[in-house]
Amino acid sequence: MTHSRPIPLIRLNLMFAILFVSFLLPSAVRAEVVATFWSQELGRNFPHAFFTLHGTLADGTRVRASYGFTAKAITPAILVGTVPGRIEEATEAYIARSNAHFSIGLTDARYEAMMNLVAEWGEGGDHRYQLNTRNCVHFVAEAMRRAGLVVVENRKLMKKPRSFIQSIERLNDGHVRPIDRWASEYVEWSTRDITQTLTDRSSQ
């Protein structure tokens, strides 16, 4: 008759300590910012592409924001040349009429890289808008690269937000989280999360 060897007490203590820490600090395990890529085909002016960022950084900072790139003024001038552009934060009402295509989790470094892009294309950076070579789709394409995705800019798709984003989703199959839903069906971007984030901001 054989007997199993008893587990040394020190090893048991170590196992319990690991379990205790994992339960005590659940937020450290779940810390992640998610980038989601969206299209709006029925906008007031023309189709649009943008991305949202939501989640929690490693230091506990909560993130909830949206970024797109557009011309400062919608005039016939955008059809013939370069005009001033601007970073635009989509309202919740605008997002509610948009399609969420896919998302990807970000490291803090990739989150910072995407925020650097926002600054680089913003008022303090190069904010030239050119319909054929530097529009909202080009902005989102660069954001995707900084998120760690493989991006191929098909010239035929660079003024077609939905088709372009779908092409990148296929290209990165297995590395992104497919969504392909209206905002109202995208649970991660929920009204409850909006309320909690606003509450957190007001208490700071």
Side-chain angles (χ1 to χ4, degrees), residues 9-26:
L9 182 60
I10 189 170
R11 186 179 299 176
L12 280 173
N13 288 338
L14 180 60
M15 291 169 61
F16 282 122
I18 292 171
L19 286 172
F20 176 75
V21 171
S22 67
F23 281 112
L24 186 65
L25 301 173

Side-chain angles (χ1 to χ4, degrees), residues 130-169:
Q130 215 289 333
L131 184 61
N132 294 316
T133 61
R134 207 170 192 272
N135 62 30
C136 64
V137 179
H138 295 92
F139 174 71
V140 166
E142 181 58 27
M144 290 172 170
R145 289 191 189 93
R146 298 194 186 197
L149 298 174
V150 175
V151 177
V152 173
E153 295 188 12
N154 183 333
R155 287 194 303 171
K156 295 180 180 179
L157 302 181
M158 300 313 289
K159 288 190 284 187
K160 299 178 179 180
R162 178 181 297 172
S163 297
F164 172 75
I165 294 174
Q166 289 174 335
S167 74
I168 302 304
E169 181 178 352

